[in-house]
Amino acid sequence: MDAGLKGLEAVLAVARRGSFRAAALDLGMSTTALSHTIGRLEAGLGVRLFNRTTRSVALSDAGRDFVERVGPALAEIRGAMEGARSQRETPTGLLRINASVQAGREIAPLVLAFLRRYPDMQVDLVTEGRLVDIVAEGFDLGIRPADLVPRDMIALPLGSPQRYAVVAAPVWLAAHTAPMTPGDLPAEHCIRVRLPNGALFRWPFERDGEQVLVDARGRLTLDEAAIARAAVLDGAGIGFFIEQDVAEDIAAGRLIRLLADWTPPRPGFSLYYPGRRNPSAGFAAFLAMVRERAGRL
C-alpha cells in the first residue's frame, strides 16, 4: 500500500514540476530512484504516463487522464490519513512550510522550538522569492507579507510590522550629497533589484499620505539581498532593504540610514494555510505555538 501511494505521489510530483530532478528534490529521493518508481508503476499499468526526451518530460495523453483522476483521489486519501493522525496524542509526521527568505528567518526560532517540544515531528522549511501555490506544490503552510497572502487562505499574523531601510556606506556619503527626499536620490547610484518574476523592483516611499515610486537606474543589478548588502558596504551606491537585513550594520555604523521618515511600517508577515476538515496533530500543534507566540508579542 505504501509503495503504491509513493508511486502516485511520484507521478503527481513530476507532472507538477515538469522535471524528474525537481520532483526528486521535492520528494527527498534520488532522480534514479524516482525514475525506477515511475517505471514500475508504468509497467504495472501497461501504459506510458510520460513522454521523455533528453531535454524534457511531458505527460502522455494517458498520463494526463491518470493525473486528473488520481489527484483528487490522493487528496482524499491524504485527508483521511491526516484525520486518523489527528487522533494521536503525540504529534508526529512531516510539516512542509514555504516562505520568503526574510519570513524564513522570522519563523526559524519558532520551528526550532516546535521540534524541541515535539521530537517525533519533522519540518521541511523551503525559502524562495517566488510566491507559490502552496496547495498545488504540496506545502502545509506558507509565510509571506500580509498583503501578499491569497484571499482564499486562512491567515494568522506573525510578528511585528516590517519596515524598509534606505542605506549607504560612510565612504559613499563622504563623496556624495545625502538625499533629503526620494526626488533627491541619484538614480544612477542606486542598486537595482530584480524580483523573482524578472521585473525590476521600484522603490516605494510614503510620507504624510504622499506616495512615491522610484525607478533605480544604477549600473549594478542584483537579485540577492546578501550580495546587494555587500555591494553597498563596499561603497557601490545606495541600497533598499528590508530593515532586519541591515539593522546590525546600521547599529554598528557600517551603514547610514537615509530617508527614514519616508519608510513607514508596512504589513508584517502572516502564516497562511487552506481550510482543512481534519488537520493532523502536528499541524494543529504548530498553529497553537504560532498563536501562543502572537499572544506574547
Side-chain angles (χ1 to χ4, degrees):
M1 179 64 177
D2 186 54
L5 289 177
K6 287 183 178 178
L8 299 179
E9 293 277 12
V11 170
L12 293 181
V14 175
R16 181 175 66 245
R17 300 286 274 166
S19 160
F20 273 75
R21 182 184 297 275
L25 289 172
D26 285 351
L27 296 172
M29 59 194 305
S30 69
T31 305
T32 300
L34 175 60
S35 181
H36 287 166
T37 297
I38 290 180
R40 284 193 296 271
L41 180 60
E42 289 178 324
L45 295 172
V47 66
R48 184 173 290 276
L49 299 175
F50 294 97
N51 295 318
R52 306 168 177 82
T53 69
T54 56
R55 294 186 178 182
S56 66
V57 57
L59 286 166
S60 65
D61 290 340
R64 191 172 298 107
D65 180 64
F66 183 80
V67 166
E68 288 177 358
R69 300 179 66 179
V70 164
L74 196 54
E76 287 294 321
I77 293 172
R78 289 195 199 104
M81 295 177 71
E82 288 180 357
R85 292 191 185 107
S86 69
Q87 305 304 312
R88 291 175 55 102
E89 293 183 4
T90 303
T92 185
L94 173 67
L95 203 60
R96 300 193 71 227
I97 304 173
N98 184 279
S100 65
V101 174
Q102 291 85 2
R105 294 174 188 152
E106 178 88 11
I107 200 68
L110 186 62
V111 168
L112 296 176
F114 176 73
L115 293 175
R116 286 193 297 270
R117 185 179 298 184
Y118 301 106
D120 292 333
M121 285 297 302
Q122 302 174 49
V123 174
D124 180 8
L125 175 59
V126 177
T127 59
E128 54 187 323
R130 66 190 182 103
L131 185 63
V132 306
D133 182 335
I134 62 171
V135 175
E137 302 210 12
F139 290 97
D140 299 290
L141 301 157
I143 308 172
R144 288 294 189 280
D147 53 351
L148 294 182
V149 174
R151 293 184 178 180
D152 60 344
M153 294 286 167
I154 299 171
L156 293 175
L158 186 70
S160 56
Q162 304 291 309
R163 290 187 71 186
Y164 286 125
V166 183
V167 294
V171 64
W172 187 90
L173 288 169
H176 302 84
T177 302
M180 303 305 294
T181 71
D184 297 333
L185 282 167
E188 67 277 8
H189 287 280
C190 295
I191 307 298
R192 307 176 90 190
V193 177
R194 189 176 303 282
L195 299 171
N197 64 4
L200 290 172
F201 179 63
R202 302 175 73 192
W203 295 11
F205 295 95
E206 181 180 351
R207 188 178 70 176
D208 299 331
E210 180 184 0
Q211 297 182 344
V212 178
L213 284 176
V214 172
D215 287 314
R217 296 190 301 275
R219 294 184 298 147
L220 180 61
T221 302
L222 299 167
D223 62 2
E224 166 54 46
I227 302 175
R229 169 181 168 273
V232 175
L233 284 168
D234 193 55
I238 300 174
F240 194 97
F241 299 92
I242 297 292
E243 184 180 48
Q244 66 190 58
D245 288 345
V246 291
E248 292 184 4
D249 296 312
I250 294 172
R254 293 186 295 268
L255 293 176
I256 307 300
R257 187 164 193 163
L258 309 171
L259 304 177
D261 56 336
W262 282 90
T263 53
R266 57 193 292 267
F269 294 114
S270 285
L271 179 144
Y272 63 94
Y273 55 94
R276 48 176 70 188
R277 289 173 294 179
N278 298 300
S280 68
F283 182 90
F286 189 78
L287 290 187
M289 287 191 67
V290 171
R291 294 188 178 100
E292 179 183 315
R293 170 189 166 176
R296 294 196 301 265
L297 295 176

